[in-house]
Structures are given as structure tokens and as C-alpha cells.
Amino acid sequence: MQIKRISPNELVEADKFQIGILQPNRRRVRSFSYIKRQYKKHPSLFIACYNPSIVGIVFGFVKREKVLLGELAIKKEFRRKGIGLKLVQRLVKEAKALRKKEICLGAQPDAEKFYLKAGFKPVLFAQIKHKDAPKDYLRKGFEIEKETNYKDAKRLYIHVKKYDAKLKEKVKKAFNAYDVIYLFVKKL
């Protein structure tokens, strides 16, 4: 198996690969034109594992001082063999070379433990419609690291001492949130 940067000629194949695994029956999260623009800016953040064809990919996107780990996809029969970890380690190396300060991502529930094992720290991310936000939301007993307000909703980044899958439901209930997920951050 070989881990290397995705070449310009392989970008379409790598994109189709990740769509087939991560979003087979859903609308795309990121358009291919967006992925292509990001690739042109930072091709070192687009990495694949070959055996000899693609069996895993990771796509990274620069956001100011951070790298957003946007997609990590491994072919089903190659999972739990260390490929995902090797791809993430290579992304960390490339992000450091670009002098970025951290890597962050939002994870699917079935991938949360993988990112913990890979050394990422969890942060809860709650989205609340303005009309549903409790007036006393700052006194709910949670440490809010950051708050942003957008037209559609309030977004809270909540500090957690340790990962707890059940904490998502507690936060959802306490804040009347319509969505609560774990974000994962790795300082570089």
C-alpha cells in the first residue's frame, strides 16, 4: 500500500470514490468545483492510499490558521487496518508544513471514537434557532467556549472534559437545540 498526494489526473476519481462511500444517496456537501479550487490552492492536503487503486482518501481545506478535515473515506473491506490513521497522520504532517495551528472536523457518530484514538479533542457544537433559545442559556451549567449568531441560528461551542456520547442529548434538551454534534480538534 502506498500513501501519496492525489495527482491532478486522479482528483475526479478520488472525488467519486469519497462520494460513493460518504454520500451515496444524499446531496453533495461540497461541490466538485469547490474541491477543485481548494486542490489548486493546497494540493498537499489531498491524500490517498493506493492498493494499487484508491482504497482510502482524505481531503483537507485551509480555513485561516486551521485545516478542516473535510472528507475521510476508506473502502469497507480496508477499514480497521490502520489506513485511516495513516491518512490522518499524513494530513497532520502536511498541515504542519503549511504552518497551520490546528486540524478540526465534524464527525459522524460512528467515527467519533476513531478521532479520539487519533488524538483529537472533542468539543460539542449546538445549533439553536433564535426563537427556541432559552433566555437563561448561559446559566445551564455548560462552559461555552464560543458563540456565534447567524441569521438562521445561534451556534454554541461547548467545552467538554471528556467524550460522552450521551452528552449530546443532554445538551440538545437543555438548549432546545435542533442539532448537536461533536467537533474534533487537534492542535499542531
Side-chain angles (χ1 to χ4, degrees), residues 17 21 55-57 72-76 78-79 83-84 87:
F17 175 86
I21 291 174
V55 297
I57 61 93
L72 174 64
I74 310 297
K75 207 175 204 180
K76 196 168 194 161
F78 288 90
R79 292 180 191 162
I83 294 169
L87 287 168

Side-chain angles (χ1 to χ4, degrees), residues 107-170:
Q108 296 292 328
D110 62 347
E112 292 172 347
K113 290 183 180 171
F114 167 80
Y115 290 107
L116 291 169
K117 286 180 185 174
F120 286 76
K121 302 293 181 209
V123 174
L124 273 172
F125 176 67
Q127 297 187 88
I128 311 154
K129 292 187 178 179
H130 292 291
K131 65 179 180 59
D132 297 335
K135 293 193 185 332
D136 65 342
Y137 75 93
L138 292 173
R139 295 185 297 280
K140 292 286 185 182
F142 294 96
E143 183 182 336
I144 298 171
E145 292 181 0
K146 180 179 168 185
E147 175 181 339
T148 57
N149 286 291
Y150 291 87
K151 192 175 188 177
D152 63 329
K154 178 182 296 295
R155 292 171 173 89
L156 303 177
Y157 298 79
I158 302 166
H159 175 78
V160 293
K161 289 185 171 70
K162 66 176 190 163
Y163 172 81
D164 178 355
K166 295 176 185 172
L167 191 55
K168 288 190 284 190
E169 279 307 311
K170 291 177 188 172

Side-chain angles (χ1 to χ4, degrees), residues 62-77:
V62 171
K63 301 288 182 188
R64 296 181 190 93
E65 291 94 38
K66 304 175 189 179
V67 169
L68 170 66
L69 191 160
E71 281 79 25
L72 174 64
I74 310 297
K75 207 175 204 180
K76 196 168 194 161
E77 57 269 28

